[in-house]
Amino acid sequence: MSVDVLLGLQWGDEGKGKIVDVLAPQYHMVARFQGGPNAGHTLEFDGIKHVLHQIPSGIFRSDIKNVIGNGVVLDPVIFRKEVEALNQRGVDVKSNLFVSNRAHLIFPTHGLLDACYEQSKGNQKIGSTLKGIGPTYQDKIARVGLRVGDILATDFKSRYRSLVERHQSVLNFYEFPHDLEEKEDVFFQSIDYLRQFHITDTAYLVNHALSDNQTVLAEGAQGSLLDIDFGSYPFVTSSNTMIAGVCSGLGIAPSRIKEVYGIFKAYCTRVGSGPFPTELLDETGEKLRKVGQEYGATTGRPRRCGWLDLPALKYAIMINGATQLFMMKADVLNDFEDIKVCTHYKLSNGDITDELPYDIKRQEIEPVYHTLSGWKQALDGMENFGQMPHELVQYVNYLEEQLQVPIGIVSIGPDREQTIKRAEISTG
Ligand code: GDP
Ligand code: IMO
Ligand code: MG
C-alpha cells in the first residue's frame, strides 16, 4: 500500500499532533521522519493533555506501530522522560515503538554547542529551542555523528568520547563555560534504557509493511517555512521538513506517497526569530495569542501571531504538492468582527507579488489584505460542517478558491472530538 504524509505548512505548531492522533486509527503505522525534541506535539482526549517531542503521535492507539525514522535526531535523555510519562498514563510504548538504528544521537554537548553558537550570533540569534538539533545534523553531514545503532557496539563509549572531544575544543574556542559530568551520567543511564527498545532498520520495517498491504502515516515536525532549503533561511531548523524529507527520513520511494495532507492554522504563528510578514504587534496579535494560548509546547515561549499569509501558504502547498488541507484553530477566530487574509505582498520597489521572495528579511514587505466578516459566535458542540456559521463557511470557501486545494478538516478545539471532517478523508 502507500504512505500518506501529514506536514505543517507554516512555521510549525499547526496542530500536527492532534490530527495524527485523529487519523491514526485509519493506519497500521505512524512514522516520524525528521526533526527531534525541538518538536512539541500536543494531543488532547478524555480530559487529558499530552505533549510528545520525539515519539510519534500514534502512540496512544495500542494497535498501531510507531516508528522513529532515520531522519530523526534522537535525544536519549528526553526519550526516557517521554516514555516514562507515557507509561504512567498506561501506554505500552515498548511493544509498539521501533527506533531506526540510523537515527543520529543527540549528545549533551550538542545542546551546549547550540547555546554556544546562539550566543556567538549576538542579535542575529535564530531563537533555537537549544535542543541540540543543528549541531547534531551538522555532525551527521560532516560524517562524524553517532547513530542509535552504535549504542549496541562495544566501542560506543570511546567513539562517544572522541566526538565529545571535538565538541569541547569548539566550546573552549568560544570560551563557553560547561560542566559535563552530571549530564553525562544521566546520558549513559538513558543510553542503557534505550537499548531495551526495538532498535532496527526501519527502512525494511516500513517497506515490508507497505508490501504487506499496510498503510503508513508519516508525521512531520516543524513546518515548511522552517525547512532548511525552502524556509526563511537562516531562521530555519536543520532538516527537510517538506515532503522530500519523508523519502530520505524513512527510506521510502516517492512513488509510495499518495496523499499529502497540509495542515495550517486559520491564522499564523511563529516562535523564534526571523521574518513574519503578517505579524501583528498590536492588540489584535495579543488577542490571537491569548485566545489561541499561543505559547510554545517545547519551550513555553510566547508565539508571535498574525493573520493568515496566502503567498506563504501557496508556496508551501506548491513545494509539497499538498493534496488536501486541514484548517486548525478556527475557534480562535470566534470573536473577531473582521478577519484579514494577506493575499499579496507589496515590495519596497512598489511591485505587488503573491510569491515569497528569496530573502524576506532584507525586503520591506507590506502585506496586502482582503477582509472577511467574522462569525462572532462560539462553535462548541458543532459536529458537522452544515452547522457552521455562514461566515466561517465563507472563510473556508474563500481559502479553497485561493489555494485550489480542498480543505478536508476544520478543527474547532484542541480535543480529538472537536474535529469537523467535511467528507471522509481519503487515505492511501
Ligand atoms: P504541533 O507542533 O503542530 O503538533 O502543534 P502544537 O501542539 O505545538 O500546537 C498546537 C496547539 O493548538 C496545541 O496546544 C493544541 O492542543 C492546540 N490545538 C490544536 N487544534 C486546535 C483547535 O482547533 N483549536 C484550539 N483552540 N486549539 C487547538
Ligand atoms: P513542532 O514540530 C515551532 C523553531 C525554533 C527556532 C527554529 C530553529 O512542534 O511544530 P531549532 O531548535 O530547530 O534549532 O530551532 O525553529 N522551531 C519550531 N517552531 N514548532 C516547532 O516544532 C519547532 N521546532 C523548531 O523556535 O525558531
Ligand atoms: Mg509544536
Side-chain angles (χ1 to χ4, degrees):
M1 295 282 273
S2 46
V3 178
D4 294 337
V5 182
L6 184 284
L7 45 75
L9 296 177
Q10 295 166 319
W11 281 285
D13 303 327
E14 296 90 349
K16 297 176 289 294
K18 164 176 169 165
I19 291 297
V20 170
D21 171 61
V22 167
L23 296 182
Q26 300 184 42
Y27 294 89
H28 297 97
M29 194 180 263
V30 173
R32 268 283 298 271
F33 57 92
Q34 45 69 232
N38 48 351
H41 295 178
T42 315
L43 291 76
E44 276 192 48
F45 54 89
D46 300 340
I48 62 158
K49 176 173 169 170
H50 202 95
V51 181
L52 296 167
H53 299 287
Q54 306 176 108
I55 293 179
S57 303
I59 201 69
F60 285 96
R61 311 285 193 171
S62 59
D63 48 351
I64 292 169
K65 286 193 172 117
N66 286 266
V67 173
I68 296 182
N70 60 280
V72 172
V73 286
L74 188 81
D75 183 323
V77 178
I78 296 176
F79 175 81
R80 181 179 184 164
K81 286 192 192 137
E82 277 196 85
V83 174
E84 287 176 347
L86 286 163
N87 288 343
Q88 274 181 2
R89 293 230 149 119
V91 181
D92 172 18
V93 181
K94 211 153 138 193
S95 47
N96 289 335
L97 182 72
F98 299 81
V99 184
S100 169
N101 49 10
R102 295 173 191 273
H104 277 250
L105 282 171
I106 304 179
F107 291 180
T109 39
H110 286 122
L112 291 167
L113 284 170
D114 228 351
C116 167
Y117 292 142
E118 279 285 70
Q119 185 178 293
S120 73
K121 288 192 175 107
N123 62 6
Q124 290 301 305
K125 287 184 183 36
I126 290 165
S128 167
T129 59
L130 303 179
K131 301 290 176 194
I133 307 297
T136 307
Y137 280 116
Q138 207 175 326
D139 279 350
K140 172 177 176 174
I141 301 302
R143 299 166 295 185
V144 296
L146 288 188
R147 300 181 290 176
V148 170
D150 296 329
I151 68 173
L152 305 173
T154 47
D155 63 350
F156 175 68
K157 260 201 174 155
S158 67
R159 291 167 71 191
Y160 165 87
R161 187 64 51 212
S162 56
L163 184 51
V164 165
E165 277 165 18
R166 286 172 77 107
H167 293 163
Q168 282 179 308
S169 62
V170 178
L171 294 168
N172 292 339
F173 172 82
Y174 283 101
E175 296 175 356
F176 192 79
H178 59 279
D179 180 11
L180 260 185
E181 214 167 297
E182 204 179 309
K183 284 191 165 78
E184 278 190 332
D185 286 347
V186 179
F187 176 77
F188 281 108
Q189 285 157 18
S190 307
I191 289 287
D192 286 341
Y193 185 78
L194 176 59
R195 280 200 191 94
Q196 321 157 46
F197 285 78
H198 299 295
I199 296 173
T200 183
D201 191 328
T202 53
Y204 281 112
L205 185 79
V206 174
N207 281 286
H208 287 158
L210 293 171
S211 303
D212 285 347
N213 269 338
Q214 298 195 359
T215 49
V216 178
L217 178 62
E219 172 178 358
Q222 291 78 57
S224 302
L225 302 175
L226 289 171
D227 182 273
I228 183 74
D229 283 286
F230 294 99
S232 44
Y233 192 87
F235 300 100
V236 293
T237 190
S238 298
S239 65
N240 278 120
T241 59
M242 61 158 327
I243 191 78
V246 179
C247 295
S248 62
L250 291 178
I252 53 136
S255 55
R256 285 290 194 182
I257 296 174
K258 193 168 172 225
E259 297 293 331
V260 182
Y261 308 126
I263 180 168
F264 67 100
K265 282 178 190 168
Y267 50 98
C268 262
T269 63
R270 175 166 201 166
V271 58
S273 332
F276 182 177
T278 61
E279 181 170 16
L280 294 167
L281 298 165
D282 56 8
E283 72 240 21
T284 307
E286 191 51 52
K287 183 170 169 183
L288 285 170
R289 181 158 39 248
K290 197 162 159 239
V291 180
Q293 296 188 16
E294 295 294 357
Y295 296 89
T298 297
T299 57
R301 291 177 292 176
R303 296 177 183 145
R304 300 154 64 194
C305 297
W307 295 120
L308 192 61
D309 181 337
L310 290 184
L313 200 49
K314 284 181 185 170
Y315 171 79
I317 289 170
M318 175 185 77
I319 59 170
N320 290 301
T323 58
Q324 294 184 56
L325 302 177
F326 301 157
M327 186 176 91
M328 309 300 288
K329 303 190 92 157
D331 55 301
V332 175
L333 300 182
N334 283 354
D335 188 33
F336 285 81
E337 207 65 57
D338 291 323
I339 296 171
K340 290 188 180 182
V341 175
C342 166
T343 58
H344 293 83
Y345 301 144
K346 187 172 180 200
L347 306 180
S348 48
N349 63 5
D351 285 356
I352 303 232
T353 179
D354 69 348
E355 294 192 358
L356 206 59
Y358 152 75
D359 192 1
I360 319 178
K361 82 174 184 303
R362 289 180 209 284
Q363 296 266 6
E364 292 279 323
I365 285 184
E366 196 190 310
V368 179
Y369 287 112
H370 174 74
T371 305
L372 293 103
S373 301
W375 42 94
K376 296 285 286 174
Q377 73 177 85
L379 306 173
D380 300 337
M382 293 192 181
E383 287 173 0
N384 60 60
F385 202 65
Q387 297 172 322
M388 297 271 138
H390 169 67
E391 293 83 355
L392 174 50
V393 174
Q394 271 186 331
Y395 190 62
V396 172
N397 289 344
Y398 172 76
L399 296 181
E400 277 188 333
E401 199 181 296
Q402 293 289 313
L403 301 168
Q404 292 291 303
V405 183
I407 297 179
I409 286 179
V410 176
S411 175
I412 58 166
D415 194 273
R416 248 183 210 171
E417 305 297 325
Q418 293 169 304
T419 309
I420 310 293
K421 291 186 185 165
R422 293 183 69 202
E424 258 334 285
I425 303 299
S426 54
T427 62

